[in-house]
């Protein structure tokens, strides 16, 4: 999708006229005949035309990005531009501190969910996946916990290593050793995930009222629930949702919007599809 506006078209027209005028002035100071000059001008016009065709073949969009105060500014996003690049553009434009904690957030107000776009994700792909005339938007804001899971993994998985709360003090030898183990086990290509489980309330798409409670378990392929209390036996486990092809979102005011038991909610939504398939969870 190539998006143009009248201001951009005018700018391109002015640029072409200025380039052609510079070429004419340069040719005036040469010994070329009038026929040769006309030939050079035609060549220059063809060169400019080919450049503009090449530029036009690159997909781009003018996307409005909001900040935490509610104001919006337009950013030109071209194909292949990732979220980290868009954040750097906005940091420079707003004279913000060049902090690694700035994030681009995808908000879906219609269903009350949002997520932090990962640094490597292509922004135009996300934008083009939104339904036409939707209220979806990007928000630019700081998140001090953006990399906290990777910088301080022991804060999130102390039980796995048999650690006590006091052992997780940053900088201690025990904490650094635990951090190395966790990064190796869960943040490499091994495909392993922490063994987490517990009770969750859940609701599937289309169910407007009922929040059901079940005992869920995290596995590398997805989220499972037990049909028999807290049993971990395979015969009693049912896959509730697969991770492949889904994005993780956090809920926004779910207690009010969806009559949820509380606001501590996350949701799984099919990735890059204009139609939504959502599973909602409440801790």
């Amino acid at each position: 999708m190539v998006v143009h506006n009248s201001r951009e078209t005018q700018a391109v027209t002015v640029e072409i006229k200025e380039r052609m005028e510079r070429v004419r002035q340069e040719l005036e100071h040469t010994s070329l005949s009038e026929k040769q000059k006309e030939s050079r001008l035609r060549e220059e016009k063809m060169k400019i035309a080919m450049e503009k065709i090449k530029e036009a073949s690159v997909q781009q969009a003018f996307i409005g990005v909001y900040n935490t105060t509610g104001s919006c500014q337009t950013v030109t996003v071209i194909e292949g531009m990732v979220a980290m690049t868009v954040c750097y553009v906005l940091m420079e434009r707003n004279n913000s501190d060049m902090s690694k904690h700035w994030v681009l957030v995808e908000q879906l107000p219609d269903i009350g969910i949002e997520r932090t776009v990962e640094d490597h994700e292509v922004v135009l792909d996300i934008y083009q996946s939104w339904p036409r005339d939707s209220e979806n938007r990007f928000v630019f804001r700081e998140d001090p916990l953006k990399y906290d899971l990777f910088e301080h993994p022991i804060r999130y998985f102390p039980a796995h290593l048999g650690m006590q709360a006091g052992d997780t003090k940053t900088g201690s030898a025990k904490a650094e050793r635990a951090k190395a183990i966790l990064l190796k086990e869960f943040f490499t290509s091994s495909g392993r995930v922490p063994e987490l489980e517990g009770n969750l309330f859940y609701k599937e798409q289309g169910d407007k009222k009922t929040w059901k409670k079940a005992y869920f378990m995290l596995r590398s392929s997805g989220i499972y629930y037990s049909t028999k209390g807290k049993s971990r036996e395979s015969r009693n486990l049912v896959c509730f949702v697969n991770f492949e092809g889904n994005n993780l979102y956090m809920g926004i005011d779910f207690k009010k919007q969806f009559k949820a038991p509380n606001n501590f909610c996350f949701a799984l939504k099919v990735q890059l599809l204009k139609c939504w398939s959502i599973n909602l969870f409440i801790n």
Side-chain angles (χ1 to χ4, degrees), residues 23-156:
V23 173
R24 287 191 185 91
Q25 291 177 2
E26 290 172 1
L27 291 174
E28 289 298 323
H29 297 86
T30 66
S31 58
L32 296 175
S33 65
E34 290 299 318
K35 189 174 182 180
Q36 289 174 321
K37 290 179 181 178
E38 288 179 5
S39 177
R40 287 287 300 274
L41 286 173
R42 283 196 298 270
E43 289 175 3
E44 186 65 22
K45 285 182 180 180
M46 182 61 70
K47 180 181 177 182
I48 294 173
M50 293 302 296
E51 289 177 2
K52 295 307 173 185
I53 290 172
K54 186 176 179 180
E55 289 176 7
S57 68
V58 177
Q59 292 185 337
Q60 63 179 7
F62 300 96
I63 299 176
V65 179
Y66 292 80
N67 60 28
T68 53
T69 65
S71 61
C72 178
Q73 51 187 316
T74 302
V75 180
T76 303
V77 179
I78 62 174
E79 64 177 325
M81 186 178 287
V82 297
M84 178 178 284
T85 304
V86 174
C87 284
Y88 278 126
V89 169
L90 289 166
M91 279 187 271
E92 294 228 356
R93 183 181 294 182
N94 299 326
N95 295 319
S96 305
D97 293 333
M98 300 298 284
S99 167
K100 63 182 181 181
H101 295 132
W102 287 103
V103 297
L104 196 65
V105 176
E106 179 193 13
Q107 285 189 347
L108 283 61
D110 290 346
I111 48 178
I113 58 176
E114 67 175 24
R115 74 180 179 98
T116 296
V117 180
E118 296 187 35
D119 289 341
H120 65 273
E121 288 188 75
V122 178
V123 175
L124 197 56
D125 288 349
I126 300 170
Y127 176 72
Q128 291 179 337
S129 74
W130 292 347
R132 185 180 296 275
D133 300 324
S134 74
E135 296 296 323
N136 298 353
R137 65 182 187 175
F138 289 113
V139 177
F140 178 61
R141 70 189 186 202
E142 275 194 289
D143 181 4
L145 299 179
K146 179 179 180 181
Y147 297 115
D148 199 60
L149 177 64
F150 302 97
E151 295 174 343
H152 307 286
I154 52 178
R155 292 179 180 173
Y156 300 87

Side-chain angles (χ1 to χ4, degrees), residues 257-274:
Q257 186 165 348
F258 291 103
K259 310 297 182 185
N262 57 58
N263 279 322
F264 300 101
C265 175
F266 66 95
L268 289 166
K269 172 185 168 295
V270 177
Q271 185 179 12
L272 299 181
L273 284 183
K274 294 184 179 181

Side-chain angles (χ1 to χ4, degrees), residues 221-265:
S221 58
I223 297 177
Y224 292 73
Y225 70 90
S226 175
T227 58
K228 192 176 181 179
K230 297 182 180 181
S231 173
R232 299 183 182 179
E233 295 184 22
S234 299
R235 62 182 180 180
N236 297 323
L237 296 182
V238 177
C239 182
F240 186 71
V241 61
N242 289 315
F243 290 139
E244 187 175 357
N246 284 282
N247 276 327
L248 177 67
Y249 291 76
M250 302 304 294
I252 305 173
D253 199 13
F254 261 54
K255 195 170 183 179
K256 179 179 179 181
Q257 186 165 348
F258 291 103
K259 310 297 182 185
N262 57 58
N263 279 322
F264 300 101
C265 175

